[in-house]
């Protein structure tokens, strides 16, 4: 269905012709190129409001069918294109009570009734399952009913988080209005030292730049330290662009991206090399950072922007260590933990919960011995899903309890009782601290492992 | 858009997050039950004592965090008349407009004290602080968003468009 679009003030899109502009196209940012493609325009510039045709809409059990179903019914329309909808049950899985079970049941029925073929039920966290199952490609314009939808930007797709009513509008029409975001470029020079990872970069960025530095903006990560990163690590950066307030967290696709896509049964469309910011494009701000100077970071309650070197938190005690979430439980995250835990034991009085990001993550970690290293050290293995990350599932905290977590957010009460406290860190730091019995710098453990 | 909003100010600081507005532990409950916990981690009295038309006033980056629309729905459920903040996190801002909850950015939001009597005129962005006898200027919303609020939010707005398209 195509609807007449309300024309917002400042709307200028769709005037240029595609053929003419290819020759004379000005230098553009990656965000501008991605928005232009979705708007059917040759050129759009930051600040313009355009109507974008959505390539893919991702919804989950919490913000999805139970919210959008009644709204579509009220509108009296079905899905604009069921083949462009991916539904993932991850927030309330596995059902911990009858209320959660009812939500999951409703989700399954809605998928069947609406012909949604791409329904991944209890297979892991949406932001990890989406690319893992080959749904994401460079150049796409994607909306997700979840704030960490920025994760998709790791693949050079423009992926933004939206709320449920907005999603109902997209599901009905296939379109959404967006203001083309200005770009903030974060250029990471140098190389990360041992034991220092993407999560540390993000906690340091939140603290240095602030939680709203990227509001209404595209955050673009670039530079040699990014080029050297695995897709898992890039996903952590794009994921936590949300903690900088970013509309999107973008990384230009490269050979690493293409290899990853191939390993997951898909390939980018021709011309993927153009999904990058042109030299000389107008960017709002650029920050140059040195990856080599960074130490493992820990963010104190109740904000990811409360970070300092892990060493500054030495002797801070906690009750629960959590390795989970789309941010911190992908295969390479679990391997970091295993590297530290192999041949060691979780300290007495501490419970280490590990919830792998997806069922495929669990299978791969079982195959390469990672899981055994974790469980032999005393880790408690949890189902794949959002779990304790947002306080929806199992593993939540009691009043006064303290948790050290590989997740993205430590807002007051997020992981359970409002009187609980959460520190954030990388999987390396969470695992090392779980062994030490207090917050520790993981590099000391890695040195011992190497020796 | 709807008439002026009049009520008392409930004042909060910077970075009020969506876990505070709609706590995860109550997300599986209906909106009425969820709203009873709205902002309880910052002010346990808020949900019980806020009156229809009252205005939530805050600092920077109001509504940061999750995309959960219940963050804005809970305020609507409690009949909060508007939110005035120095700035808003982008998903919350869109969610609120989509639900026809007026959200206005105001550089001078910090001059408002808890309990001040306020009168807000959403179309012009004029915020009269009757207690302090001064008028603050909020950034007016763009036309297309005012139109959406006037229609009662995105859903009624879409309904109108669908009808127009069918006619
Ligand atoms: S794991 Fe946590 S951050 Fe990721 S989607 Fe689930 S609730 Fe959100």
């Amino acid at each position: 269905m195509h609807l007449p679009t309300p024309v917002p003030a400042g709307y200028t899109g769709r005037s240029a012709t595609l053929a003419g502009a290819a020759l004379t196209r000005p230098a553009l940012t990656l965000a501008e190129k991605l928005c232009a493609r979705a708007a059917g325009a040759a050129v759009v510039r930051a600040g313009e409001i355009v109507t974008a045709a959505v390539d893919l809409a991702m919804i989950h059990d919490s913000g999805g069918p139970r919210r959008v179903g009644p709204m579509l019914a009220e509108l009296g329309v079905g899905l604009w294109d069921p083949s462009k909808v991916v539904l993932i049950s991850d927030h309330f899985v596995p059902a911990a009570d009858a209320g959660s079970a009812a939500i999951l049941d409703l989700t399954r029925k809605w998928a069947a009734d609406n012909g949604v073929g791409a329904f991944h039920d209890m297979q892991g966290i949406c932001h990890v399952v989406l690319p893992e199952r080959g749904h994401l490609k460079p150049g796409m314009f994607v909306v997700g009913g979840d704030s960490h939808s920025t994760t998709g930007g790791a693949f050079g797709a423009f992926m933004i988080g939206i709320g449920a009513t907005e999603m109902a509008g997209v599901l009905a029409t296939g379109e959404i209005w967006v203001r083309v975001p200005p770009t903030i470029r974060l250029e990471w020079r140098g190389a990360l030292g041992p034991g220092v990872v993407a999560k540390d970069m993000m906690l340091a960025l939140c603290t240095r730049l602030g939680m709203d530095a990227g509001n209404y903006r595209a955050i673009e990560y670039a530079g040699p330290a990014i080029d050297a990163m695995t897709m898992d690590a890039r996903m952590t950066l794009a994921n936590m662009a949300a903690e900088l307030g970013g509309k999107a967290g973008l990384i230009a696709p490269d050979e690493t991206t293409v290899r990853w896509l191939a390993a997951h049964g898909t390939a980018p469309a021709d011309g993927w090399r153009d999904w990058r910011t042109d030299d000389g494009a107008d960017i709002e701000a650029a920050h140059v950072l040195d990856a080599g100077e960074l130490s493992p970071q820990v963010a104190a309650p109740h904000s990811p922007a409360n970070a300092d070197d892990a060493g500054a938190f030495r002797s801070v005690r906690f009750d629960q260590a959590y390795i989970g979430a789309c941010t911190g439980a992908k295969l390479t995250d679990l391997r970091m933990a295993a590297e530290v835990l192999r041949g060691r034991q979780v300290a007495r009085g501490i419970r280490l919960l590990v919830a792998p990001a997806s069922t495929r993550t669990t299978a791969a970690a079982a195959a390469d011995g990672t899981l055994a290293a974790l469980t032999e050290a005393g880790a408690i293995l949890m189902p794949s899903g959002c779990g304790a990350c947002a306080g929806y599932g199992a593993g939540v905290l009691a009043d006064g309890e303290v948790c050290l977590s590989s997740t993205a957010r430590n807002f007051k009460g997020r992981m359970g009782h409002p009187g609980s406290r959460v520190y954030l860190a990388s999987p390396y730091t969470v695992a090392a601290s779980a062994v030490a019995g207090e917050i520790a710098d993981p590099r000391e453990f890695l040195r011992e492992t190497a020796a | 858009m709807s008439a002026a909003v009049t009520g008392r100010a409930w004042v909060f600081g910077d970075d009020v997050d969506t876990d505070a507005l709609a706590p995860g532990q109550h997300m599986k409950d209906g909106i009425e039950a969820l709203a009873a916990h709205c902002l309880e981690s910052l002010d346990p009295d808020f949900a019980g004592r806020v009156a229809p038309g009252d205005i939530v006033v805050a600092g920077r980056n109001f509504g940061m965090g999750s995309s959960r629309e219940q963050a804005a729905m809970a305020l609507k459920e409690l009949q909060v008349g508007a939110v005035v903040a120095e700035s808003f996190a982008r998903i919350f801002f869109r969610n609120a407009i989509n639900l026809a909850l007026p959200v206005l950015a105001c550089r001078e939001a910090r001059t408002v004290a808890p309990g001040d009597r306020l009168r807000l005129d959403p179309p012009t962005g004029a915020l009269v602080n009757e207690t302090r006898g001064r008028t603050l200027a909020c950034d007016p919303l763009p036309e297309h968003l005012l139109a959406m609020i006037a229609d009662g939010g995105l859903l009624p707005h879409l309904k109108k468009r669908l009808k127009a398209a069918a006619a």
Side-chain angles (χ1 to χ4, degrees), chain A residues 157-183:
Chain A
F158 193 82
M159 186 159 177
I160 59 174
I162 61 175
T165 300
E166 191 92 63
M167 183 60 82
V170 170
L171 295 178
T173 67
E175 295 180 346
I176 187 170
W177 70 266
V178 283
R179 192 182 293 273
V180 180
T183 292

Side-chain angles (χ1 to χ4, degrees), chain A residues 91 125-127 146 148 325-326 386 389-390 414:
Chain A
H91 275 60
I125 304 162
C126 57
H127 307 298
D146 191 279
H148 284 108
C326 48
C386 295
C389 170
R414 179 168 172 91

Side-chain angles (χ1 to χ4, degrees), chain A residues 240-330:
Chain A
M240 284 193 72
E243 275 53 60
L244 293 169
K247 181 176 207 154
L250 301 174
I251 299 172
D254 62 5
E255 305 297 343
T256 302
T257 321
V258 174
R259 266 198 307 275
W260 196 97
L261 291 173
H264 292 80
T266 185
D270 286 348
W272 62 268
R273 283 178 202 280
D274 190 44
W275 299 122
R276 52 182 288 278
T277 292
D278 295 327
D279 296 338
D282 264 336
I283 54 172
E284 186 182 86
H287 300 274
V288 177
L289 303 119
D290 185 351
E293 278 177 8
L294 194 65
S295 299
Q297 300 287 300
V298 171
H302 300 285
S303 169
N306 282 344
D308 200 346
D309 291 352
F313 294 92
R314 219 172 275 275
S315 83
V316 170
R317 300 191 148 268
F318 53 93
D319 306 285
Q320 173 165 307
Y322 188 66
I323 293 180
C326 48
T327 318
K330 299 179 289 296

Side-chain angles (χ1 to χ4, degrees), chain B residues 5 10 46 50-56 74-83 101-102:
Chain B
V5 179
W10 290 80
F46 174 77
V50 67
D54 281 359
I55 295 178
V56 168
L75 294 173
K76 275 219 82 135
E77 176 70 21
L78 298 171
Q79 297 183 55
V80 166
V83 184
L101 172 67

